[in-house]
Amino acid sequence: MTETTEFDAVVVGAGPAGAAAAFELARAGRSVALVERGPFPGSKNMYGGVVYGRILDTLIPRWWEEMPVQRWVTRRQTMLMTGHQALTIDYRTDTWGRPPYNGATAYRPDFDSWLADKAVQQGATLLCSTTVTGLLVEGGRTVGVRTDRPDGDLRAGVVIAADGVNSFLAKEAGLYGEVSADNYTVGVKETIALPREVIDERFAVRGDHGVDIEIIGCTGEVPGGGFLYTNADTVAVGLVLSLPALAAGGSRPEELLAALKAHPAVAPLVEGGEVKEYSAHVIPEAGYDMMPELVGDGLLVAGDAAAMCLAAGVWLEGVNFAIGSGAAAGRAAHAALRSGDTTAAGLAGYRTRLESSFVLADHRKLREAPHLVMGDLAQRQLPGLACDVAEAVFQVTNPDPKPGLVRIARKQIARHGLKLPTVARETIRALRAYG
Amino acid sequence: MTARGAQGNEVVGPLGPTYPAISFETRMDSVEFRVHERPHIVVDDTICRDCSVRGCITACPANLFIPTSDGGILFNYEQCFECGTCYLVCNEEGAISWSYPEGGHGVVFHSS
Ligand SMILES: Cc1cc2nc3c(=O)[nH]c(=O)nc-3n(C[C@H](O)[C@H](O)[C@H](O)COP(=O)(O)OP(=O)(O)OC[C@H]3O[C@@H](n4cnc5c(N)ncnc54)[C@H](O)[C@@H]3O)c2cc1C
Ligand code: SF4
Ligand code: SF4
């Protein structure tokens, strides 16, 4: 017989979703265990990475004074790229470098450890180096979890599965339909060491200000995208790649990444640096359309475990969605415990909370966006077309007269094998998807 | 795009050689793995022999699925990111038994 310990709630996974859930439960006075399989929170987690901290306002007032930040993002770029060209939209504002800020680069081991510690300060019990191996189920309802610890199982009124993209708990509970590789991408990234002054110089920033670059057209035959972020004394450069296309053969992830690093628009930013850490992680890419049931009897699913990462081209936001959904799960669990009904019906307030917040509102509104971004037009035609139009506009053709913008656009659209009505239709579709 | 294999030769961009590519070994040496004696992923390569897709070979970011000359797969779990790519792309039921390593073991990131 193994000994069991009883909590009001057990939260599986000390990523941002789990830490936020445990924080809200502990703040409400509930006994809560936050279980993490890594030796410390964040040790299993990688991302681009920028944390958009606005959602933290509701949990930790003036969080920016204590959050472990690498740089505050004051410059955001979107780059459309072909093998030899790049067209960049570059926005900068120093306002984002002052309280209350917008986004910050941070290392996940630092950030996740900090946020989990906040939950501990509220009274949560953090159990690291503990892998949850399955759900404890009695009479069809979840009553706790099994762990690989010799001292046994953890019983709880509510279990919150915040166990990330692979969520074996949500799958075990039957909350997912068919799982298809089509809905996932894998991210690979190099953290490259460079002296702080070199980064300041190359990216034209000062002090603790930094840059966030999203790239499209840099993944060869594989649908996906790239990113480049500045940390204090490293640069993170990586790719997000469609799983089925990668599996179809041709290129390996690190080969595509080497090609991006060699591109004339990227090489001068990263050259000479040494790879400090290589990392990889899977992303739930398809958003709203791949989400599981969010509630079971005695069970809630939050964050990437519920596919709540928003991957919509110019936006790659998962940490804030994880915190938003985790906090909502914590509050819903507390309310259900108070009412004495932790069945799926008693926990249904979770979905209502998410629907009235950005978490499901954004996902529902942007439902089409992930498909559009990974589609042929955005992947294969848009980057080349945009670059060629830019080239035709800026190239001086003397002694020939300037061709005029309308003619350039017409000519390039035709050259890229597109028809004006197609472009018009797709533009309207994109405007709708992002409306 | 021009970049040659990641096995130590120079990466050549359109502007010429830019920096030496790192070998895959050096790349993986940058990552900490606290290896547990129990393999958390087991590949039954008798099933792989009937697989025509073999998506794991190009997709695994840690390059842990090595095709053998007789149509099998050589797999070692020690330098695994625990990402999930392999079981998601594998289309042969039963080829991959996938679980997380014992608590406290496996990959440990520090600056990612
Ligand atoms: C390449 C890449 C780039 C990204 N870029 C960004 C970005 O710039 N900005 C952004 O906001 N988001 C980004 N994201 C998305 C973001 O990382 C995720 O959406 C976010 O981490 C989700 O948080 P989570 O808490 O739900 O899950 P996770 O962060 O995955 O946390 C889950 C936790 O559960 C633990 N766990 C899992 N199973 C068990 C178990 N059985 N027992 C015990 N513990 C377990 C794990 O160890 C982990 O700590 C990116 C993702 C990737 C892969
Ligand atoms: S995809 Fe699956 S069955 Fe095919 S070779 Fe890889 S592990 Fe084996
Ligand atoms: S989990 Fe990821 S890193 Fe590990 S073997 Fe599978 S694909 Fe490779």
Side-chain angles (χ1 to χ4, degrees):
Chain A
M1 271 304 280
T2 49
E3 198 183 314
T4 50
T5 317
E6 178 102 32
F7 289 91
D8 288 336
V10 168
V11 180
V12 183
F23 182 99
E24 285 298 57
L25 279 154
R27 178 156 78 167
R30 295 286 167 190
S31 66
V32 51
L34 178 59
V35 188
E36 168 57 46
R37 64 189 187 86
F40 53 87
S43 55
K44 300 288 182 185
N45 305 339
M46 69 76 90
Y47 75 145
V50 177
V51 172
Y52 298 96
R54 192 80 298 118
I55 185 65
L56 284 171
D57 290 346
T58 57
L59 303 181
I60 304 157
R62 305 184 75 78
W63 48 270
W64 54 82
E65 288 172 2
E66 37 174 317
M67 173 181 147
V69 166
Q70 291 287 327
R71 287 176 188 257
W72 296 103
V73 174
T74 55
R75 197 172 170 200
R76 270 201 81 157
Q77 304 184 347
T78 298
M79 201 184 270
L80 298 169
M81 188 181 266
T82 70
H84 65 290
Q85 301 160 294
L87 171 66
T88 307
I89 298 160
D90 182 358
Y91 176 72
R92 59 187 301 167
T93 169
D94 278 359
T95 315
W96 288 348
R98 291 192 292 272
Y101 299 102
N102 182 47
T105 55
Y107 293 150
R108 290 295 296 282
D110 299 346
F111 178 78
D112 292 11
S113 289
W114 170 74
L115 196 59
D117 190 52
K118 289 281 140 195
V120 170
Q121 284 170 27
Q122 295 292 331
T125 304
L126 175 64
L127 301 169
C128 289
S129 299
T130 307
T131 301
V132 168
T133 53
L135 296 169
L136 285 177
V137 180
E138 280 171 15
R141 58 165 285 137
T142 301
V143 294
V145 296
R146 287 181 205 292
T147 77
D148 66 350
R149 284 231 181 177
D151 51 347
D153 306 341
L154 300 171
R155 290 185 71 90
V158 181
V159 171
I160 298 179
D163 52 340
V165 59
N166 289 307
S167 191
F168 294 110
L169 296 185
K171 287 174 193 162
E172 184 187 335
L175 300 179
Y176 266 95
E178 204 193 325
V179 174
S180 160
D182 295 348
N183 292 336
Y184 296 88
T185 53
V186 61
V188 292
K189 158 175 138 172
E190 287 180 9
T191 305
I192 300 173
L194 283 168
R196 200 180 176 117
E197 318 76 69
V198 172
I199 294 175
D200 289 352
E201 198 110 310
R202 288 185 186 180
F203 291 87
V205 285
R206 297 289 173 265
D208 59 1
H209 290 189
V211 181
D212 160 338
I213 309 175
E214 264 86 45
I215 309 167
I216 194 159
C218 60
T219 49
E221 293 300 298
V222 180
F227 57 82
L228 206 163
Y229 301 112
T230 58
N231 296 308
D233 56 3
T234 64
V235 169
V237 57
L239 293 174
V240 170
L241 302 163
S242 146
L243 282 195
L246 205 54
S251 305
R252 286 198 37 82
E254 72 280 358
E255 290 170 358
L256 293 167
L257 188 52
L260 174 62
K261 284 171 67 185
H263 191 280
V266 175
L269 302 175
V270 298
E271 67 193 352
E274 196 173 308
V275 177
K276 195 173 168 186
E277 191 164 78
Y278 187 53
S279 52
H281 205 281
V282 165
I283 305 176
E285 186 80 17
Y288 197 78
D289 290 337
M290 72 178 289
M291 283 184 193
E293 294 288 330
L294 304 177
V295 181
D297 283 326
L299 183 67
L300 296 174
V301 192
D304 272 16
M308 279 166 186
C309 178
L310 180 71
V314 291
W315 298 300
L316 177 48
E317 300 175 22
V319 171
N320 49 333
F321 281 81
I323 295 170
S325 59
R331 286 176 213 138
H334 169 61
L337 286 162
R338 193 175 45 199
S339 73
D341 179 6
T342 55
T343 63
L347 288 165
Y350 175 46
R351 195 174 173 103
T352 326
R353 280 166 205 264
L354 292 180
E355 272 166 357
S356 60
S357 85
F358 71 100
V359 177
L360 281 185
D362 283 355
H363 267 293
R364 193 172 296 187
K365 190 163 58 197
L366 294 167
R367 185 175 189 160
E368 277 292 316
H371 308 298
L372 215 56
V373 170
M374 295 301 262
D376 258 7
L377 193 74
Q379 290 289 326
R380 291 176 193 274
Q381 280 149 336
L382 179 67
L385 176 62
C387 286
D388 285 346
V389 167
E391 185 167 308
V393 169
F394 295 128
Q395 186 149 309
V396 176
T397 53
N398 300 162
D400 292 342
K402 294 200 184 301
L405 295 186
V406 174
R407 236 188 86 204
I408 289 175
R410 272 180 196 251
K411 191 172 150 201
Q412 293 301 338
I413 286 170
R415 239 194 88 211
H416 283 264
L418 291 165
K419 298 214 153 57
L420 261 179
T422 318
V423 174
R425 194 185 60 227
E426 290 300 317
T427 309
I428 290 169
R429 201 178 141 209
L431 287 174
R432 281 216 184 104
Y434 282 90
Chain B
M1 253 183 243
T2 40
R4 281 185 279 131
Q7 295 301 332
N9 40 3
E10 190 105 316
V11 169
V12 183
L15 297 183
T18 49
Y19 55 87
I22 57 168
S23 71
F24 199 79
E25 221 165 65
T26 312
R27 174 182 297 282
M28 294 308 289
D29 280 349
S30 71
V31 194
E32 185 190 350
F33 296 97
R34 300 187 187 170
V35 180
H36 192 275
E37 61 198 21
R38 180 188 73 91
H40 62 284
I41 298 174
V42 177
V43 178
D44 177 356
D45 86 330
T46 56
I47 294 175
C48 299
R49 279 162 216 274
D50 297 328
C51 168
S52 54
V53 184
R54 298 166 86 75
C56 57
I57 300 170
T58 43
C60 168
N63 202 10
L64 296 178
F65 292 78
I66 311 298
T68 58
S69 54
D70 59 343
I73 291 281
L74 201 65
F75 178 81
N76 183 303
Y77 69 98
E78 289 178 16
Q79 293 196 317
C80 165
F81 289 120
E82 300 152 33
C83 67
T85 296
C86 53
Y87 84 80
L88 284 167
V89 301
C90 178
N91 53 337
E92 296 286 328
E93 191 79 32
I96 300 180
S97 317
W98 207 101
S99 65
Y100 287 124
E102 265 66 12
H105 291 82
V107 70
V108 178
F109 293 129
H110 297 277
S111 29
S112 291

